[in-house]
């Protein structure tokens, strides 16, 4: 599935739609260049999961945990050297746990993630730096284009 958003608000709304489908145990691999909207889409997903806290990029702490109707584990693996570093974080309990995992910069650690991982690729449009093209791969749920 491919989507186009014209601004951060639309990217946030797409995140809300994504999040409304997610279930315990889902892992979402967020990919794209710096400032592509990975944290913005995460904020939308968090809102739909009932998270009340402010979502920020966990670049320096690597993992942020949030309480909602489903626990949310927000990873930022930008500073990791690779899959071995990720494995050493002890993230397996979260990846295979009862929450939803969102992993920014997941390109670095894809071999550590389950095969059922949902991949969200965000790209900045050349003609409009506020717009994003967002491709979702491995989506397991039906009727995404329809209102729930």
């Amino acid at each position: 599935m491919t989507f186009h958003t014209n601004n951060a608000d639309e990217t946030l709304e797409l995140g809300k739609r994504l999040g409304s489908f997610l279930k315990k145990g889902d892992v979402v691999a967020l990919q794209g260049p710096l400032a592509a909207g990975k944290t913005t889409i995460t904020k939308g997903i968090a809102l739909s999961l009932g998270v009340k806290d402010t979502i920020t990029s966990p670049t320096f702490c690597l993992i942020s945990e949030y309480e909602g109707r489903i626990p949310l584990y927000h990873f930022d693996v930008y500073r990791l050297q690779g899959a071995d570093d990720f494995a050493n974080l002890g993230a397996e309990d979260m990846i295979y746990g009862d929450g939803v995992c969102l992993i920014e910069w997941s390109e670095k650690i894809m071999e550590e993630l389950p095969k059922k991982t949902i991949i969200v690729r965000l790209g900045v449009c050349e003609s409009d730096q506020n717009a994003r093209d967002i491709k979702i791969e491995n989506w397991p749920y039906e009727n995404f284009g329809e209102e729930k």
Side-chain angles (χ1 to χ4, degrees), residues 38-146:
K38 295 180 292 292
T39 302
T40 300
I41 208 162
T42 295
K43 289 177 182 181
I45 291 169
L47 285 170
S48 72
L49 296 178
V51 172
K52 304 281 189 235
D53 296 324
T54 301
I55 303 294
T56 58
S57 184
T59 301
F60 294 103
C61 63
L62 302 177
I63 305 170
S64 295
E65 297 181 41
Y66 300 98
E67 291 299 320
R69 65 177 174 81
I70 300 173
L72 173 63
Y73 306 110
H74 183 200
F75 297 77
D76 185 324
V77 299
Y78 180 77
R79 294 179 41 200
L80 299 184
Q81 297 302 309
D84 289 341
D85 284 353
F86 184 74
N88 290 334
L89 283 178
E92 193 168 283
D93 289 343
M94 290 175 234
I95 296 292
Y96 296 100
D98 288 334
V100 169
C101 293
L102 302 176
I103 305 167
E104 295 191 30
W105 299 100
S106 61
E107 303 91 326
K108 299 178 104 175
I109 52 106
M110 286 303 293
E111 62 268 24
E112 293 295 319
L113 301 180
K115 295 219 182 301
K116 66 176 188 149
T117 296
I118 299 163
I119 301 169
V120 179
R121 298 180 199 276
L122 297 99
V124 179
C125 297
E126 289 181 25
S127 60
D128 180 355
Q129 294 296 301
N130 294 314
R132 301 292 181 265
D133 285 323
I134 301 167
K135 184 175 183 181
I136 301 171
E137 301 171 9
N138 212 21
W139 184 252
Y141 305 110
E142 293 182 24
N143 303 322
F144 183 77
E146 301 172 14

